[in-house]
Amino acid sequence: MANERLRDALARNGLSYEQIAEATGVDQKTVERWITKGRTPYPRHRHVIASMVRETETYLWPDAVVPERKARITESELVKLYPHRNSIPADLWDHLITNATEHVEVLVHAAIFLIERPTFVRDLVRKAEAGARIRLNFGDPASRDVARRSEEEQLGKGTLGSRIRNALAFYRPLQGVEGIEMRFHKTTLYNSIFRFDDEMVVNTHIYGFQGAHAPALHLRRLTAGELFESYSESFEHVWKLSKPATF
C-alpha cells in the first residue's frame, strides 16, 4: 500500500525523490518504493526525512516505532514541568517568542499576561511579515461557555468575558495583517496551548483554579514523539470548529 502521508509531505515541502535520495544516501528507486509500495525506511533514514518535512515519524510511519520506544521518546519531549504557569521564568517566554520563525499558535480564553509584554503584538507583526504563520484562538466573549468558565474559576459572572474583550483591544492592530488569523472558539478548554515552532507550553486547567495557578508543561517536539503532536492535533481540532474573530 502506498504511503500517501509521505507523498503528501514531500509535495507540501516541494521535495523531490532526488533530494530525499541525496539526503539519505540511497538511490531514487529506493525512495520511490518507500512511497509507492509503502516500504519502511531504516530508522536513520526516517529521522532525516521527518526532519526535512517537519512531521513526526509516528505520523509518516505509524507502525514503524515500537510502543516502548515511543514511550521513551515521548517522555523526552517534556523539557520541564512547572507547578504553576506564573512560575515560568520570563526569559523562557522571551526565548520562545523571539526564536519562533515559522509558527506561532495560541489557544486561550484571554491570556492577558501575553500582552503585558510590551512588544508582543509588534513581534507578531514582524514575524508575519517575515513569513511566519500566526494563529490566535480566543474564547468567544459572548458565549455561554465563557460565562460558565468565569463562574467555575470563581471570577464572578461576566468577568472572564470582560477580560477577553480587554485583551482583544490590544490585538486590533493585527486585524488584516497578512499571515495572521484570529478566531473565537466555544469549546471546553481543557488546556491553553502556546506553540512557537517546535516548542510549546501547555497550561493545564483545574476546576476551580485560574490558569495562572495551574500546572504548565514545556515541551520540545521530537520526530518520533507523541506528546507534542497530541496537543498540536488538539489545537487543529479546536481551530476547525472556531469562527473568525469579530471585534
Side-chain angles (χ1 to χ4, degrees):
M1 182 181 296
N3 189 333
E4 297 298 340
R5 291 185 178 184
L6 180 56
R7 190 198 305 273
D8 178 71
L10 296 185
R12 278 188 284 107
N13 289 274
L15 295 169
S16 66
Y17 290 4
E18 182 180 4
Q19 289 170 300
I20 297 299
E22 183 178 351
T24 56
V26 302
D27 59 53
Q28 292 186 47
K29 286 293 184 183
T30 297
V31 176
E32 183 178 352
R33 286 192 289 271
W34 289 342
I35 296 171
T36 61
K37 297 185 181 298
R39 301 284 174 80
T40 302
Y42 289 124
R44 64 180 183 277
H45 297 148
R46 295 200 302 265
H47 181 74
V48 171
I49 297 168
S51 297
M52 291 176 72
V53 300
R54 301 186 67 81
E55 293 287 358
T56 63
E57 289 183 45
T58 50
Y59 170 77
L60 296 172
W61 302 280
D63 301 322
V65 184
V66 297
E68 293 80 6
R69 181 167 178 257
K70 283 183 183 179
R72 290 196 301 272
I73 294 172
T74 297
E75 289 174 4
S76 298
E77 289 189 299
L78 178 60
V79 179
K80 189 167 182 176
L81 170 64
Y82 293 92
H84 313 289
R85 192 200 67 213
N86 61 7
S87 63
I88 297 176
D91 60 357
L92 175 58
W93 289 111
D94 290 339
H95 160 80
L96 295 173
I97 295 167
T98 300
N99 292 333
T101 59
E102 297 184 1
H103 299 281
V104 175
E105 296 174 345
V106 175
L107 172 61
V108 293
H109 279 127
I112 290 178
F113 77 96
L114 285 177
I115 54 176
E116 289 174 349
R117 313 181 70 78
T119 65
F120 181 66
V121 171
R122 293 198 300 274
D123 287 341
L124 294 182
V125 172
R126 286 195 292 268
K127 290 179 185 300
E129 290 174 345
R133 185 185 186 190
I134 314 294
R135 295 192 290 175
L136 310 175
N137 206 347
F138 306 97
D140 185 339
S143 70
R144 288 178 295 177
D145 307 84
V146 164
R148 182 171 61 249
R149 191 57 168 264
S150 186
E151 294 178 10
E152 290 175 351
E153 293 187 1
Q154 301 179 25
L155 296 173
K157 186 177 180 180
T159 301
L160 183 55
S162 296
R163 285 187 179 180
I164 295 171
R165 292 185 181 91
N166 290 341
L168 292 173
F170 290 89
Y171 288 100
R172 289 187 187 279
L174 301 182
Q175 290 183 305
V177 176
E178 186 175 355
I180 297 179
E181 295 179 80
M182 294 184 285
R183 294 188 180 183
F184 284 161
H185 68 83
K186 297 181 180 180
T187 57
T188 300
L189 198 60
Y190 298 104
N191 306 278
S192 292
I193 297 174
F194 309 87
R195 180 188 176 184
F196 304 91
D197 289 350
D198 288 337
E199 294 190 70
M200 179 185 290
V201 171
V202 178
N203 183 193
T204 66
H205 291 298
I206 302 175
Y207 187 92
F209 287 79
Q210 297 181 38
H213 304 299
L217 292 70
H218 176 200
L219 307 178
R220 183 173 292 133
R221 184 181 191 231
L222 297 175
T223 59
E226 295 183 301
L227 192 56
F228 185 102
E229 194 66 21
S230 293
Y231 285 112
S232 185
E233 288 181 14
S234 177
F235 178 93
E236 293 295 340
H237 289 320
V238 178
W239 186 257
K240 289 176 182 177
L241 294 171
S242 303
K243 303 297 182 182
T246 54
F247 56 93

